[in-house]
Amino acid sequence: MIELSGISKTYRVARRPAGMGNALKSLFSREYTLIPALTDVSFTIRDREMVGYIGPNGAGKSTTIKIMCGVLTPDSGTCVINGRVPYRERIAHVRDIGVVFGQRSQLWWDVPVADSFELIRDIYKVKEDRYRKNVNDLTELLDLGDILQTPVRNLSLGQRMRCEIVASLLHDPKVLFLDEPTIGLDAVSKIAVRKFIRRLNVERGTTILLTTHDMQDIEALTQRVLLIGKGKVLVDGTLAGLKKHIASRKTMTIEYRGPLPTPIEGMMPLQSDDGRLVLSFDPSEIPVSEAITYFAQNTDLLDVSVSDVTTEEMAAKLYKEYNL
Ligand SMILES: Nc1ncnc2c1ncn2[C@@H]1O[C@H](COP(=O)(O)OP(=O)(O)OP(=O)(O)O)[C@@H](O)[C@H]1O
């Protein structure tokens, strides 16, 4: 169980004025700039839940994760994870958590991946049989067999990211923090990583907090989403609920032969290319079945599709709604 209550954190950064004289002066009397990163952040994540933590750049996501890992101490509020306060009981706490920062590596650059895994085993004092089983299971699941003897610096980003995830799981953590785990990956690697994260949550019951700017990750993996902006939690809800809140309208794309079809009154054309028309409409005014029947009867219809607002559009509208 993860419980954050009233967490606030402000960074204090020393101001460095330009010029030699000013630099000397600042050695004796320092001036500081205060950067509020989190204000009164509260949420609870139950065991085995997988939650998306989203928000624009600088919203406070990484700061929250650093507090939950025990790297940072908040100025006020409480954070309790599996009954422990991370920044007070760091050593015991890190045995229960795994962390992947997509932009940073926990693997040693010049040595083969397998050697990095051994070092991590030593650090966490993972028992030999448990370690062997984990390496075997995880390397098979993530298809890493061939690359274990390759130095990390020679791996592609997708290969490295899969190794990073395995490295974070060798000690069987109950909770996993993933900070942009699919950043920079190609479509195939993204799908492989997402599939693995889902299995981890379902089969091992790992509690997962996923931070990402990739709304496809959120769509594929999480039911519940926490939206953070300017250091505050603004929304805590289901992905479906958020989409409903943001857009009750639907988008219809029709492909046709012949002249441009006339939409039903109340439909708004969004885009019209050669033989393709995209319309937006409110299904409470025009039922979807009626819209499809109308075009089927009045147009030489080749194809039709109706979709909800995409997760990308939802995030953009949410950020706009909250002035982020
Ligand atoms: N070490 C630091 N020193 C000073 N200010 C910091 C530090 N780390 C973060 N900040 C500031 O705190 C605020 C929150 O940053 P944080 O990195 O938590 O946001 P984020 O949501 O993770 O952003 P991103 O999506 O860009 O990674 C920002 O204004 C950032 O500039």
Side-chain angles (χ1 to χ4, degrees):
M1 174 94 108
I2 299 175
E3 285 175 289
L4 268 71
S5 170
I7 292 282
S8 295
K9 176 76 192 173
T10 296
Y11 291 102
R12 209 165 76 113
V13 183
R15 248 185 271 165
R16 295 242 181 98
M20 198 58 182
N22 283 332
L24 275 175
K25 246 190 250 165
S26 74
L27 285 177
F28 302 101
S29 70
R30 286 223 158 162
E31 284 183 34
Y32 292 92
T33 304
L34 298 179
I35 304 170
L38 297 176
T39 312
D40 198 18
V41 168
S42 303
F43 57 79
T44 301
I45 297 175
R46 293 188 314 277
D47 288 344
R48 308 176 83 92
E49 245 193 305
M50 177 146 62
V51 175
Y53 197 41
I54 63 168
N57 292 130
K61 303 178 296 291
S62 301
T63 304
T64 319
I65 293 189
K66 285 176 189 163
I67 289 172
M68 292 191 288
C69 293
V71 174
L72 281 179
T73 304
D75 302 330
S76 56
T78 52
C79 170
V80 181
I81 297 179
N82 297 331
R84 289 199 191 95
V85 176
Y87 32 91
R88 294 214 189 105
E89 300 161 80
R90 273 171 78 166
I91 292 176
H93 177 62
V94 292
R95 289 194 199 289
D96 275 353
I97 62 160
V99 195
V100 175
F101 282 101
Q103 317 239 38
R104 281 187 212 126
S105 181
Q106 59 187 308
L107 303 169
W108 282 261
W109 206 238
D110 291 312
V111 302
V113 178
D115 291 3
S116 275
F117 287 177
E118 291 283 345
L119 282 165
I120 290 168
R121 178 181 73 97
D122 277 353
I123 291 170
Y124 285 101
K125 301 194 171 41
V126 185
K127 290 206 177 94
E128 184 63 30
D129 52 346
R130 189 66 219 158
Y131 169 76
R132 287 282 150 231
K133 184 167 180 349
N134 270 343
V135 171
N136 290 342
D137 289 357
L138 294 168
T139 49
E140 197 188 317
L141 266 176
L142 277 169
D143 203 12
L144 296 184
D146 295 342
I147 56 174
L148 284 186
Q149 296 311 321
T150 310
V152 175
R153 67 181 140 75
N154 293 346
L155 298 179
S156 75
L157 185 59
Q159 289 169 329
R160 182 175 70 74
M161 193 52 67
R162 283 183 278 155
C163 294
E164 297 281 354
I165 296 177
V166 171
S168 72
L169 294 169
L170 291 173
H171 59 296
D172 288 321
K174 296 187 193 102
V175 176
L176 184 62
F177 299 115
L178 297 170
D179 194 345
E180 302 202 42
T182 60
I183 195 165
L185 302 189
D186 65 25
V188 175
S189 302
K190 274 187 184 182
I191 290 169
V193 166
R194 283 180 197 139
K195 214 166 142 190
F196 177 71
I197 294 171
R198 200 174 312 116
R199 281 187 74 166
L200 200 64
N201 176 249
V202 173
E203 291 174 14
R204 290 192 172 201
T206 311
T207 307
I208 297 174
L209 184 78
L210 169 71
T211 290
T212 181
H213 288 292
D214 186 333
M215 291 302 141
Q216 306 283 335
D217 289 347
I218 296 290
E219 181 98 52
L221 292 171
T222 64
Q223 295 286 316
R224 181 176 162 208
V225 180
L226 289 162
L227 168 73
I228 183 171
K230 295 182 182 149
K232 291 185 184 146
V233 174
L234 302 170
V235 179
D236 179 352
T238 63
L239 193 56
L242 281 182
K243 279 191 176 178
K244 214 168 166 187
H245 163 74
I246 283 299
S248 53
R249 296 179 77 82
K250 293 204 179 267
T251 302
M252 177 179 238
T253 305
I254 58 174
E255 286 176 25
Y256 60 93
R257 246 192 309 249
L260 180 68
T262 315
I264 304 174
E265 203 180 316
M267 283 187 149
M268 197 190 358
L270 296 177
Q271 207 184 325
S272 173
D273 307 320
D274 225 12
R276 188 170 171 275
L277 177 65
V278 184
L279 300 152
S280 156
F281 66 100
D282 184 343
S284 65
E285 286 170 11
I286 306 167
V288 175
S289 58
E290 189 184 305
I292 294 174
T293 311
Y294 170 82
F295 286 108
Q297 287 174 350
N298 296 292
T299 316
D300 187 358
L301 201 59
L302 298 174
D303 197 5
V304 61
S305 66
V306 180
S307 59
D308 288 322
V309 65
T310 64
T311 311
E312 240 82 30
E313 287 166 333
M314 178 204 77
K317 285 186 180 170
L318 271 176
Y319 295 173
K320 206 166 161 194
E321 184 176 320
Y322 287 100
N323 286 325
L324 300 178

